[in-house]
């Protein structure tokens, strides 16, 4: 699937497929170096992390194990309570293991901070996070991301695993959608279309500021 297959639904390509692959290879090399002496378990968070997990694991030289979790945030309308429900738990017992959580995006950070707390209570030898995309809101939560692909602005993105109402996950790039897709003239509130099941965990309400520029892998206008 590519831009031509979604036609006018696509507003803008933010991160082209080639740039995603380049960055994933860099992350894989970093993780390889950091875990050279370890037996590493990658834990992917379904469904959004499927693409990053598959590409990251294949770009790595170390033999890794892969496991999956599916979680959903309890929402009260438009606000996330930060209380998360496990839809699919890990198959593996992670006590004493080196675990790296692989996630598509960290926005408010509520989901990941809950997940980190939950997995930490199972006593892994180590527990770190690898996130493809980080929105500015994550800085306010105590979520320590060891490996970040790109810092992006606070706008709703799709592709490369990320969905809007379960669609657009199989686009090979990260992009934004045209307002008509959301059923109105307006783009959704930054961070997600409100009250959209499938857009995020129960349509979290998020603040509307733009990203602060982080050096390194912030997507600048030139790259969009
Ligand atoms: P958090 O708990 O606010 O960090 O929410 C993280 C989750 O919200 C991600 O795992 C995604 O499922 C969803 N999400 C947040 N922002 C976006 C986006 O821009 N596009 C698609 N899903 C998003
Ligand atoms: Mg996710």
């Amino acid at each position: 699937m590519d831009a031509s297959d979604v036609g006018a639904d696509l507003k803008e390509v933010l991160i082209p497929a080639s740039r995603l692959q380049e960055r994933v290879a860099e992350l894989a090399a970093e993780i390889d170096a950091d875990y050279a002496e370890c037996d590493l378990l990658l834990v992917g968070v379904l469904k959004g992390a499927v693409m990053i997990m598959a590409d990251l694991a294949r770009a790595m030289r170390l033999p890794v194990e892969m496991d999956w979790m599916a979680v959903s945030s309890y929402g009260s309308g438009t606000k996330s309570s930060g209380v998360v429900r496990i839809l699919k738990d890990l198959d593996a017992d992670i006590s004493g293991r080196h675990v790296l959580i692989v996630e598509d995006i960290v926005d408010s950070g509520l989901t990941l901070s809950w997940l980190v707390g939950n997995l930490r209570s199972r006593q892994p030898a180590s527990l770190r996070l690898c996130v493809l995309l980080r929105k500015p809101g994550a800085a306010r939560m105590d979520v320590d991301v060891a490996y970040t692909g790109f810092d992006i602005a606070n706008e709703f993105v799709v592709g490369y695993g990320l969905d809007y109402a379960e669609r657009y996950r199989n686009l090979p790039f990260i992009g934004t959608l045209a307002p008509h897709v959301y059923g109105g003239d307006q783009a959704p509130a930054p961070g997600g279309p409100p009250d959209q099941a499938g857009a995020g965990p129960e349509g979290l309400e998020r603040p509307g500021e733009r990203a602060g520029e982080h050096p390194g892998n912030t997507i600048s206008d030139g790259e969009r």
Side-chain angles (χ1 to χ4, degrees), residues 55-68:
D55 285 344
L56 183 74
R58 283 180 295 179
M60 287 180 65
R61 308 292 299 265
L62 288 178
V64 293
E65 281 180 50
M66 295 158 85
D67 203 346
W68 301 91

Side-chain angles (χ1 to χ4, degrees), residues 143-173:
V143 187
D144 186 16
V145 181
Y147 307 95
T148 305
F150 302 90
D151 282 299
I152 61 166
N154 196 17
E155 60 190 332
F156 197 80
V157 294
V158 296
Y160 198 66
L162 290 146
D163 73 304
Y164 169 62
E166 293 300 325
R167 294 183 62 205
Y168 309 102
R169 290 191 196 275
N170 59 327
L171 285 170
F173 53 79

Side-chain angles (χ1 to χ4, degrees), residues 45-49 103-105:
V45 185
L46 294 170
K47 307 169 193 172
E103 176 61 309
D104 51 358
I105 190 164

